Amino acid sequence: CPDTCRVPRVPRMLYPKAHVLQPPRVDVLLMTPWFAPIIWDGTYDSAILDAQFRNTTIGLTVFAIKKYVVFLKLFLETAEKYFMVGHRVIYYILTDRPADVPQIPLQEGRRVVILKVRNYTRWQDVVLHRMEMISNFSQQRFLHEVDYLVSADVDMKFSDHVGVEILSSLFGTLHPGFYASDRQRFTYERRPLSQAYIPEDEGDFYYAAALYGGSVAEVYRLATACHQATLIDKANGIEAVWHEESHLNKYLLYHKPTKVLSPEYVWDERMLRKPPYLRRLRYVAVPKNHAQIRSR
Ligand code: UDP
Ligand code: MN
């Protein structure tokens, strides 16, 4: 447990001092009611964090099933530029088409591991079974190979710094479409028959399934629980409205994340106009034709 049980040691460093009476941001919420930091530009010092997280290995799991392999090149190229630069990274590419994984030149300390997985006919099954596969590979490999796991959608690109400021035991990202909404408007699963059901009077945030993570042990717990929930749903003849995102939201309601990423970390420039308090767009959607890319 690198960040919860042990206090990280840092060397002598020179950096500007924080001011107790001058909060770095007054335009956005910086802390959840359970005291998890919400990560916005201007609130952290990368030099301190990089020192705290030196000797950390980060696994980035990304699924590229069927036609989604076309997104890998831009995803990996931009990750090399912006994702955990200066740290050890293993890209775990889960795909049914290993031969179509592009060869990208990697910086030192970074490598690609291709994990061959099965595909499913329905795209809903592809996204739902991500939880099962992350759960299985966590036990098989990730627990022994990396400290943290970051699970990311492939139909996205990195466009600014995404570093160790996101790492914590368990983190989720505020969905760009709902961060300012009342909880009644969150697109949680609302049918009590589903394991993902959340009543109207509950809910902290609506989290995006496109980016979440944590220590391998915590991501393993999350993925296993979400997979179990989808199995029970299936036995009951119900599928959660937003698939694994619905189950993720249910899990994070009752297992409070220890960090929350602002919408800087998942954005869609075609769907949303950038508000002034969003100073950086770090990981953004790549346009796609849903019907075309999801067909077999
Ligand atoms: N995915 C995939 N192949 C598919 C469908 C989905 O590899 O046929 C993976 C891929 O990593 C994708 C993620 O599942 O980014 C989530 O699906 P998608 O991005 O289509 O969902 P959206 O972001 O549009 O809700
Ligand atoms: Mn996506």
Side-chain angles (χ1 to χ4, degrees), residues 9 23 32 44 51 59 73 105 108 137 151 164 172 191 195 209 219 222 224 227 237-238 253 255 266-267 282 292 294:
R9 282 185 63 99
T32 69
Y44 60 88
K73 186 167 184 288
E108 203 191 315
F137 280 115
S151 170
V164 295
R191 293 167 296 175
Q195 297 299 304
V219 173
L222 177 154
T224 307
H227 173 53
I238 193 166
L253 175 58
H255 306 79
V266 170
W267 194 254
R282 304 167 188 269
Q292 190 277 330
R294 285 173 179 169

Side-chain angles (χ1 to χ4, degrees), residues 61-69 71 94-96 120-124 126-128 130 152-156 175 209-210 242-245 283 285 288 290 293-295:
T61 61
V62 62
F63 287 79
I65 312 273
K66 297 191 286 187
K67 291 182 182 170
Y68 280 63
V69 289
F71 293 111
L94 295 93
T95 184
D96 59 333
Y120 290 87
T121 308
R122 296 173 64 244
W123 67 267
Q124 295 91 335
V126 172
V127 299
L128 273 167
R130 291 200 285 180
D153 265 20
V154 75
D155 59 338
M156 309 273 295
H175 192 293
W242 287 106
H243 318 103
E244 97 295 16
E245 189 166 76
Y283 180 56
K288 67 178 188 284
H290 286 76
I293 200 82
R294 285 173 179 169
S295 65

Side-chain angles (χ1 to χ4, degrees), residues 133-153:
M133 293 176 188
I134 288 176
S135 168
N136 289 343
F137 280 115
S138 289
Q139 248 195 345
Q140 260 182 50
R141 297 193 64 140
F142 304 154
L143 274 166
H144 319 293
E145 296 180 3
V146 296
D147 301 303
Y148 290 92
L149 280 178
V150 178
S151 170
D153 265 20

Side-chain angles (χ1 to χ4, degrees), residues 10-224:
V10 293
R12 170 180 149 78
M13 295 169 70
L14 300 179
Y15 46 78
K17 165 194 165 297
H19 295 277
V20 170
L21 301 184
Q22 288 167 32
R25 298 281 301 256
V26 290
D27 53 346
V28 288
L29 185 70
L30 298 186
M31 191 75 94
T32 69
W34 56 94
F35 281 152
I38 306 177
I39 316 303
W40 297 91
D41 180 53
T43 62
Y44 60 88
D45 185 330
S46 278
I48 304 174
L49 287 160
D50 281 336
Q52 284 194 349
F53 284 93
R54 74 192 181 286
N55 297 326
T56 302
T57 305
I58 302 111
L60 178 57
T61 61
V62 62
F63 287 79
I65 312 273
K66 297 191 286 187
K67 291 182 182 170
Y68 280 63
V69 289
V70 300
F71 293 111
L72 276 172
K73 186 167 184 288
L74 186 62
F75 178 90
L76 290 169
E77 282 172 353
T78 57
E80 279 299 291
K81 241 172 117 179
Y82 294 116
F83 182 77
M84 302 291 169
V85 174
H87 295 273
R88 278 196 301 274
V89 171
I90 303 180
Y91 296 104
Y92 293 110
I93 300 177
L94 295 93
T95 184
D96 59 333
R97 299 181 180 179
D100 293 348
V101 175
Q103 292 259 0
I104 305 288
L106 301 178
Q107 298 177 57
E108 203 191 315
R110 307 168 73 99
R111 61 195 174 97
V112 164
V113 171
I114 298 173
L115 302 172
K116 182 154 196 313
V117 297
R118 60 159 296 184
N119 63 29
Y120 290 87
T121 308
R122 296 173 64 244
W123 67 267
Q124 295 91 335
D125 284 321
V126 172
V127 299
L128 273 167
H129 282 276
R130 291 200 285 180
M131 290 297 186
E132 178 184 20
M133 293 176 188
I134 288 176
S135 168
N136 289 343
F137 280 115
S138 289
Q139 248 195 345
Q140 260 182 50
R141 297 193 64 140
F142 304 154
L143 274 166
H144 319 293
E145 296 180 3
V146 296
D147 301 303
Y148 290 92
L149 280 178
V150 178
S151 170
D153 265 20
V154 75
D155 59 338
M156 309 273 295
K157 65 177 182 190
F158 294 90
S159 51
D160 204 339
H161 171 97
V162 174
V164 295
E165 74 279 359
I166 71 171
L167 298 180
S168 193
S169 297
L170 185 63
F171 66 85
T173 307
L174 300 180
H175 192 293
F178 300 97
Y179 63 90
S181 302
D182 289 336
R183 54 161 70 111
Q184 288 75 19
R185 299 184 64 94
F186 292 163
T187 53
Y188 291 152
E189 174 57 62
R190 299 299 189 183
R191 293 167 296 175
L193 179 59
S194 170
Q195 297 299 304
Y197 170 61
I198 299 177
E200 296 268 337
D201 56 357
E202 289 183 66
D204 303 304
F205 303 112
Y206 189 79
Y207 300 99
L211 190 69
Y212 67 89
S215 67
V216 186
E218 288 299 340
V219 173
Y220 172 63
R221 286 192 195 104
L222 177 154
T224 307

